[in-house]
Amino acid sequence: MYCRNCGKEVDPRAAICVGCGYRLGDGENFCPNCGNTTSNVADICLSCGFSLKRQEEIPEGERKSKLAAGLLALFLGGFGIHNFYLGFTGKGVAQILLSCTGISSIWAFVEGILILCGKIDKDAKGIPLTD
């Protein structure tokens, strides 16, 4: 995790940056995910695709449910439904094409477990999933 004001790496459990004193999430110069320089009007980091909107700025309708994505992956994942739900249309199409082989079902099962365990925690726009 990086400070949005000065770009220094910070402990994710910290409340403020020890380098500049800014509250984490404040500032507009650096991406909190990768630390690269960002535009102060950008909504998404061009380097890593992370959403630069503050969590309170993200409308509730744009945030996807981790539970819904995980259950879709476990029960309908062989057809890539969970990837379409999260906005990963390329992966969804690949799973549809592979659905007759059975490989996509194994792939989806693994992704479902990763979603429910929190290893996959963002949608295609970089917006964190809700619990």
Side-chain angles (χ1 to χ4, degrees), residues 110-129:
V110 171
E111 280 188 332
I113 298 299
L114 291 174
I115 291 169
L116 292 174
C117 290
K119 299 292 182 188
I120 297 176
D121 60 351
K122 294 176 183 63
D123 67 6
K125 295 180 184 177
I127 299 173
L129 303 177

Side-chain angles (χ1 to χ4, degrees), residues 53-64 127:
K53 291 183 178 181
R54 290 177 179 240
Q55 296 305 309
E56 58 268 9
E57 293 176 9
I58 299 172
E60 197 59 37
E62 282 189 37
R63 298 188 70 185
K64 307 286 196 254
I127 299 173

Side-chain angles (χ1 to χ4, degrees), residues 38-58:
T38 61
S39 167
N40 60 354
V41 295
D43 288 336
I44 296 174
C45 175
L46 297 177
S47 299
C48 68
F50 187 78
S51 175
L52 298 174
K53 291 183 178 181
R54 290 177 179 240
Q55 296 305 309
E56 58 268 9
E57 293 176 9
I58 299 172

Side-chain angles (χ1 to χ4, degrees), residues 1-14:
M1 180 174 205
Y2 298 87
C3 175
R4 291 215 50 203
N5 183 58
C6 68
K8 291 185 179 182
E9 192 167 357
V10 293
D11 187 328
R13 298 173 300 211

Side-chain angles (χ1 to χ4, degrees), residues 15-97:
I16 63 167
C17 173
V18 294
C20 65
Y22 268 69
R23 185 177 63 138
L24 291 185
D26 284 351
E28 300 174 335
N29 301 322
F30 298 92
C31 173
N33 186 51
C34 68
N36 287 325
T37 305
T38 61
S39 167
N40 60 354
V41 295
D43 288 336
I44 296 174
C45 175
L46 297 177
S47 299
C48 68
F50 187 78
S51 175
L52 298 174
K53 291 183 178 181
R54 290 177 179 240
Q55 296 305 309
E56 58 268 9
E57 293 176 9
I58 299 172
E60 197 59 37
E62 282 189 37
R63 298 188 70 185
K64 307 286 196 254
S65 167
K66 178 170 66 172
L67 181 62
L71 292 176
L72 284 171
L74 292 176
F75 294 108
L76 297 171
F79 301 107
I81 303 299
H82 64 291
N83 281 316
F84 288 111
Y85 173 70
L86 294 175
F88 298 109
T89 54
K91 284 172 51 177
V93 169
Q95 284 183 314
I96 287 175
L97 295 174

